Amino acid sequence: QVQLVESGGGLVQAGGSLKLSCAASGRTFSDYAMGWFRQAPGKEREFVAAIGWSGGSTKYADSVNGRFTISRDNAKNTVYLQMNSLKPEDTALYYCAAGRVVTTISRLYNYWGQGTQVTVSS
């Protein structure tokens, strides 16, 4: 089992920045690829970014590429999502997830956190 706890969400104006963190506990963190997903009210959960176990492989959704950066610190069992140039359409509940492969497909992630809310005002 892997337990995931997200933090760092909040209210920010358009154009601002936030950095999300996801702390993992349980099984060996460095064994897992990590992903960030988000879900806005009335919409399906969507992929945001993912990173491989060593940090050498990353994927981004087109909508956030160039604005968001995923990173991880295996010594701290933590994955991060730096979000810059935020837009109102980035407003959502952001989840981190752990899985065995770097993928955009949510059902391939085995463990999920409870989410942290990000709200971007215009």
Side-chain angles (χ1 to χ4, degrees):
Q1 287 285 342
V2 175
Q3 293 78 42
L4 302 171
V5 179
E6 302 95 336
S7 61
L11 174 64
V12 64
Q13 288 189 332
S17 298
L18 281 175
K19 186 174 184 177
L20 306 184
S21 299
C22 173
S25 60
R27 304 187 73 171
T28 306
F29 177 71
S30 59
D31 286 346
Y32 291 89
M34 299 297 296
W36 285 97
F37 290 77
R38 66 187 183 186
Q39 187 168 18
K43 295 187 177 181
E44 293 188 353
R45 187 174 298 185
E46 65 174 358
F47 169 76
V48 175
I51 188 167
W53 65 272
S54 69
S57 175
T58 57
K59 289 183 183 287
Y60 294 94
D62 289 343
S63 59
V64 307
N65 198 20
R67 300 189 297 123
F68 291 10
T69 302
I70 189 171
S71 61
R72 66 189 295 162
D73 185 338
N74 287 343
K76 295 183 178 180
N77 289 353
T78 302
V79 63
Y80 305 97
L81 186 68
Q82 177 67 48
M83 305 186 296
N84 299 328
S85 302
L86 283 161
K87 304 175 181 180
E89 51 263 44
D90 294 318
T91 295
L93 188 60
Y94 282 71
Y95 298 89
C96 70
R100 290 299 187 179
V101 295
V102 179
T103 179
T104 64
I105 303 171
S106 61
R107 62 180 171 82
L108 295 182
Y109 288 87
N110 306 104
Y111 304 102
W112 292 81
Q114 294 299 306
T116 186
Q117 178 67 38
V118 171
T119 302
V120 184
S121 63
S122 57

